[in-house]
Amino acid sequence: MNTLHSTLLPPGTSLNGACEIKIDLIFFEQRGTPVGSVGKAAGIEVEAKEEADGDLHVMPGVLKRPEDNHRDSECSRASTGSKSGNMAGEDPKKAMEGNYGNGVAYMNGHSETNGSYVNGLPAGSTGSQVSVAPGIGERMGQLPPEIEHITFGYLPLSKLITRLVQETFNGLNEVVNEMSDLQVSPSAQSSPPNNLDPHINGNGIVHNSQANVQKKLRLLNFAQDRRAQFIKILVLSQWSRQADAISKVIDLKVWLDGQKRIYDEASVWMGELKRVLGPLKMPNPDLKTALEALSLGKASWLPDLGYIPPKLLSSQEILKALRNINTLLSIRLNLHEKIPPSFRDFSIESGRAIFRVPDEFEVELSIADEDPQSQLYFIDFRFTFSPAPTEIPGGRIRDEIEGRTNDALKREGLSGCYEFLHDLVLTHKLSILRSQAYEMARGLWSQHLKVEAVHRSLVVQYWLNRPGGKNWVEVGIRRRRVQRLSQYSANQDSPHIALRWFRSGKEITNVRFNLELGELSLQKILKQVIAMHTNSIFEQVATKLRDGLVYSNKILMLRHVTSVSEPLDATLFVQLTTSKAVKMVQEPVTGRFALQPSSLLHSQKEKELNSLADPASEISARLASLRAIVSSEEVETRAQSDGWEGLKSLNPGQETRGRLFPRDTLSIRFFRRKDWSRSWVLAFTTSLMRDSWWIVELGERKAEVELGGQPGNPTSRVGPNFKVAYRIPMTGFKSLVMDPSYSTLAQVERSAVGMISQYIDTHQLKARKIPSKLMLTSVNSPQPRSAVLHLRLTHNRGPTMLQPQTPMSLPWANEIVTVTFQGIDPATNSAIHTVAARLQTPIPNISSLTSKIDYSIAFHPTSGEFSFRIFTPVGESTIPLLLQRLSNIEHLIQFFAIIKYHDLSCSAVSLTHLEFVYASNPSILKATIYFSLDLPTRIFLDTANPHLRIQDSLTSLLRSPNGLHIVIKVLKATLPLLRTFSAMETAHASDRLNILSRSAVWYQVRYENAKGRIDLRLRQRRDGLMWFVKDLGVAEGGNSSEKVGQRMKNNKKGVGGNWQWMGDEVVASTVDVEDLMRRIDEVYETGKEEKDEAIRNAPTGKKRKAEDEVVVLE
């Protein structure tokens, strides 16, 4: 120890201090810090020139002692002497007393060197004197690699010093604070000064109180402790100068420890190998004994005890002995033995009792003594399940079973025998199942089955790659209470193989499995579990689907086929629409779901189904979505083929969907007929509750700002405003599930058009403040029930009567008017409405007129009820057209009454025009009156009609009050005159005859050649209409009025009646005016002839009068 410490201490350091330093060094080494390399790690390099300066570096805050200065000077002189001695070739021994190449001029505690070599060289020699043997340089490259250099765990010395200084500073603060807390008592200063006491301060006060003593001790203890720590740091700083050498020593030490560990491990491995190979060593055969036994039948070295061999038994003796044994066994088992319940099935034959345990084993036992208290002995044992050997061959296993069975029979009797053999069979069954499980995991079930053996239990996890919770089964031994017979009071546990099923991490306890322990098959057991799992999933899915009316009311088929043994036989048949269905199965190995038949849509849904973490609760939603997609696609395909337009751009938001449609809606498709208004669309929605058709009203398009966009920017889009939506009522099978047939779509279209029209009509009536009400048709009606619009038209809202007090006026209809939707016109796709009302008083002889009225209106001859049809585009109101038609009917009835009043006949009647005959001799003359509201009332005449010249005047009269009455009177009164005018124009085709129609009752006839003018006016005179004819005069050169008048007076009576002069006018009736105009025309013809004769006889030089000169008649 003294030598050891001398190598660690610098000169002048006491041994006690060295012991403390050694302890701290060991502490640093235990923490993995090579102390000798601390200086190197801190970057401290001590050179000879630093030591030559004669001043060693000391720690900050540590005062140098006088002996330290003395030692430093000696070290400096020794170093200087060593250098000078080596350079001058002095004695090597003196040189070794100076500075060595290791960096420190200290010896190993003594004055002599480590032998005769210094640093691996002979004493007194230098590095230049060393000669290298031949071939050594070549062998240097063949040396083994250098040992590993250890650098882990090195700490810089500066960090250690910093921590020590910080700790010292903190400790000093704590000491000062503790000293300040100690209070000096005043009684310590009351003692008189004593000159003999050496502890007296300059004031003569003695500070020998307990507090002062504690303060001093506390400060001294702290200073002494800190000094010891700094001494250790000083020692470490000296050690740091030899960091290179210490680092190499550490590397060598670590390498040697590693080699030693390798040798130790090799020896341990060899010993273990010897121990393991011991039982495997085959002993050398005893050839000598074998040869002797085989040749002589005996071995000389075996002793011969001289036993007499027993006498062989005969067959009768053997049979008798077996019968005796059978009797003894029967008596013993029935009277003396307590047979366990599991051993109740036994039989006695051939001198042994055979106990049978179903699906487990058979054991044969017998007796060796007649004493009932003697034990039974094992004879034979067989397994009664498969796969297992029926017979156990002789050998170690059989001997082990026999020995342990006999031991159990000896200790516990038949109960112990059963428990041992039963436990053996259970263990063997579990091992068979375990081997089957591993074989399955290596075969078809690879990567989908995980097998773990936990103690005596077998854990098999299936469907490894399915998302969600884990599914596994545990096959193990379970003990349960079994019911015993009454003579056995104590119940005991009967272990048996049981199965625990965990589905999604939760144990399922309310199921039973048929393990078939008589024929072990883990694959069958696992298929049962998977079949139950599949059944459970499909059952939950079917239950959730039956929450909707579509499947709960059995409108669509939903059938779940279960299976307890084969998972593929468990299926879920779901009818999606009236024409399509899907069958879902689950693959037992992978647990993946499959939809049949295969299609692209089914493949996409399969991917969704196989990604569900909880398929039992989520598959129903996916199947409902699949049904919605298939149903919508069928309807869309059939609708587009029927001419409907699919509106895929309409995509209402979630808020709009929740406001307009039920919240369980899964899919929405929008359609529209091309002839419909842009404000109305059809919507088809699907859900588990029902398939529904809706009419949806769209408002003005508004901007919907997308995320990140503003109105007006490219990121904003314009979308429709969904106002309201109403479900279209459907009856029968179509009320819940839509059959995508053309007849169904036609019915939907018909109902939708009717609802849209009635919706618009009710709003139109509300805006016009007309009372209205929608009422359903009678239940007993042969037609499907539909809504009928009833509106009340009061007198001020209905069509205006033309003069109700006149004899021609008719009583108008009742105030209640019904509007019934009748369907769609296939030609124009317009809505057909039937308007029905009732006249207060039926029109007589209306039946003769109904055959002439067009198909859009009909009158009942006796009840006074009339109806007409209105055709309006879908989306437009029928109310304006209804009011127009009612007004047209009013005009029709009034015109018809006027015509009947004048005893005229109608040739054609409709709600827009009326054609009547007002003359039939000599030719039929007709007039047509058009009275639609969109155009003014007008009269139309044929081109051959003589009244054609006054058609415009007649139209003006027709538009006045009592216009048709006046027009008919005018037609009758002017017919003879206008016929005469037509004849005159025909006769004077080559002459210049002009007939001017000032109005329907005022005409002028101008004779251009005769220079005469006749004015005719129809006026009321007394009780009839009379024509007033006046000669307006004759121009110069024409016939005088006296001659014309004289000729007219000579013929006072015309052909059609009389006429007479009233002053300067001739008055004639409407019939006689025709003869009057013929006479006037003859007069002017005669005057024309005379004039022509006078012109021929006149001198040629005389100037003719202007042809256009007017001749005034008196």
Side-chain angles (χ1 to χ4, degrees), residues 284-348:
N284 295 328
D286 190 1
L287 299 178
K288 181 180 179 181
T289 305
L291 181 60
E292 185 177 1
L294 293 175
S295 58
L296 302 178
K298 62 179 181 178
S300 59
W301 57 273
L302 292 176
D304 187 5
L305 302 179
Y307 290 144
I308 299 174
K311 183 181 178 181
L312 296 179
L313 297 177
S314 62
S315 300
Q316 292 78 8
E317 293 176 342
I318 295 175
L319 180 59
K320 182 180 180 181
L322 291 178
R323 288 177 177 175
N324 292 334
I325 295 175
N326 292 342
T327 303
L328 294 174
L329 284 173
S330 178
I331 296 173
R332 179 169 179 173
L333 294 178
N334 289 308
L335 299 179
H336 302 285
E337 291 289 341
K338 292 183 179 180
I339 302 176
S342 300
F343 273 180
R344 290 296 180 181
D345 182 13
F346 68 93
S347 63
I348 301 174

Side-chain angles (χ1 to χ4, degrees), residues 27 125 130 396 657 783 870 911:
F27 170 75
S125 64
V130 179
R396 180 179 176 183
R657 291 167 63 109
Q783 299 294 333
I870 299 177
L911 291 179

Side-chain angles (χ1 to χ4, degrees), residues 77 112 200 226 305 392 402 461 572 596 634 677 711 726 769 840 858 940 1009 1038 1057 1067 1078 1094:
R77 286 195 299 272
E112 63 269 6
I200 300 177
R226 293 296 94 192
L305 302 179
I392 299 178
E402 182 178 357
Q461 181 183 352
L572 181 65
Q596 299 172 354
E634 280 192 354
S677 171
Y726 296 97
K769 298 182 179 180
Q840 292 181 358
F940 176 78
N1009 293 333
V1067 178
R1078 275 200 307 267

